[in-house]
Amino acid sequence: MGFHHDEAEEEQVPFRLEGASGADRHIVVTAAKRRWLDEHLARQWRRPPTAEESDRSVADFVREEVLYREALALGLDRDDLVVRRRLVQKMEMLALRDGPGVSEADLMDYYLAHRAEYAIGESVSFRHVFFGVAARGVGAPAAAGAVLAELRDRGASGVSGLGDPPPMPPEVSEWTRSMVAARFGPGFAEAVFEAGPGGWSGPVASAYGWHLVFVTRRAAARVPDFAEVAGRIATDLDAARRAGALDRIYASVRGAYRVEIEPAPASMPDSPSHLHDHAERTRA
């Protein structure tokens, strides 16, 4: 089992991993470097490495360092989007390294400033019995209507064996209006959210056929408590801090660069139709 630097690249190390400074073809594995390699193996394996394992980790380091320098000499770090983006991520890590930690107060402040972003739309829970147009044709709504009276006597239970196999789950829990509309159709969503809980209604048309619907619960739109979304808040605050830190680095060094941007070719359309279509689909 060898040592690979990608396993430790996020750790704070007491030296640069490319070896001692000097000529490009001069690599020195210092005592401090070797000690760090051994300590890393000890943490990874939960025991000190043997002399043979220590020697192998040093050999792995030298092999990686040689190949790394040869890759740089060949310019493999240029014109590679993956490498470019990873280096930008490293700049982001440098920007955040000395920043303050995130406290509970920071999370609460972010939550209070962005409460509206965590709002949960009104939701509905319901059961439904499906009557498919594909199987029953124009007789589907009539078949659903004939079963409605029977279901009203039974209540929410006892629907097994009625109707056709549904294209969606027979029971839905806490779906928002947009979720229902996306899966059943806007008209179906409107009808379900207007129906009162505790009784069967219908037939209601969907994109697939007709349904008898029993609404079990409706919940009004609300803003969740801090505890409910604490995990999301931590993720969002971290992303905001990362973006802000990188923006500050960029602003501090941008003035040192002379940038020339040539005009777009005259033949290039202002807004390519395929990009416009993609943008419209994305907004939708």
Side-chain angles (χ1 to χ4, degrees):
M1 183 181 297
F3 169 77
H4 298 283
H5 294 291
D6 57 352
E7 298 170 355
E9 62 184 355
E10 305 300 341
E11 297 187 26
Q12 296 298 316
V13 297
F15 46 77
R16 293 181 63 83
L17 286 178
E18 76 273 12
S21 60
D24 288 344
R25 295 185 180 274
H26 182 203
I27 297 174
V28 178
V29 182
T30 63
K33 187 184 299 280
R34 180 155 195 161
R35 182 166 58 252
W36 185 88
L37 294 174
D38 288 344
E39 289 172 354
H40 175 81
L41 289 180
R43 289 193 301 272
Q44 184 180 5
W45 297 342
R46 297 180 181 176
R47 63 170 177 80
T50 65
E52 180 182 355
E53 289 167 342
S54 178
D55 289 342
R56 191 180 309 130
S57 73
V58 171
D60 286 344
F61 167 77
V62 171
R63 180 178 187 275
E64 184 177 273
E65 184 65 25
V66 168
L67 294 176
Y68 167 72
R69 294 192 185 192
E70 289 299 309
L72 290 181
L74 292 171
L76 299 184
D77 56 322
R78 299 189 294 271
D79 302 323
D80 187 316
L81 283 178
V82 174
V83 173
R84 286 167 58 92
R85 288 169 182 168
R86 183 58 180 147
L87 291 176
V88 170
Q89 288 175 351
K90 285 289 190 180
M91 291 294 294
E92 186 178 80
M93 290 167 55
L94 287 175
L96 293 171
R97 183 178 57 187
D98 299 324
V102 177
S103 66
E104 192 76 11
D106 293 330
L107 294 174
M108 179 58 74
D109 289 344
Y110 189 87
Y111 167 71
L112 294 175
H114 300 83
R115 290 181 77 237
E117 298 174 17
Y118 299 101
I120 300 173
E122 61 177 332
S123 64
V124 65
S125 301
F126 63 89
R127 297 170 185 167
H128 67 105
V129 178
F130 174 65
F131 298 84
V133 172
R136 300 174 185 265
V138 295
V147 174
L148 180 59
E150 180 182 353
L151 281 177
R152 283 175 171 164
D153 292 335
R154 294 188 187 186
S157 60
V159 299
S160 177
L162 297 177
D164 303 321
M168 292 293 167
E171 187 165 353
V172 165
S173 179
E174 296 183 347
W175 279 19
T176 63
R177 185 181 295 266
S178 61
M179 292 170 65
V180 176
R183 291 162 178 79
F184 289 90
F188 183 93
E190 191 69 25
V192 168
F193 274 88
E194 288 180 357
W200 286 97
S201 62
V204 180
S206 76
Y208 309 99
W210 296 82
H211 306 251
L212 303 177
V213 180
F214 189 98
V215 175
T216 55
R217 182 174 181 270
R218 283 180 58 185
R222 66 186 182 90
V223 176
D225 295 334
F226 172 81
E228 294 181 65
V229 289
R232 281 182 59 197
I233 294 168
T235 299
D236 294 346
L237 177 55
D238 179 69
R241 285 194 169 187
R242 287 178 179 273
L246 203 55
D247 287 344
R248 286 190 293 275
I249 285 184
Y250 176 73
S252 69
V253 299
R254 174 63 177 82
Y257 288 82
R258 180 170 175 264
V259 179
E260 298 181 16
I261 301 176
E262 296 182 354
S267 59
M268 180 179 294
D270 292 337
S271 180
S273 58
H274 70 283
L275 293 180
H276 175 75
D277 293 343
H278 172 74
E280 289 297 320
R281 290 195 298 272
T282 301
R283 285 196 291 270

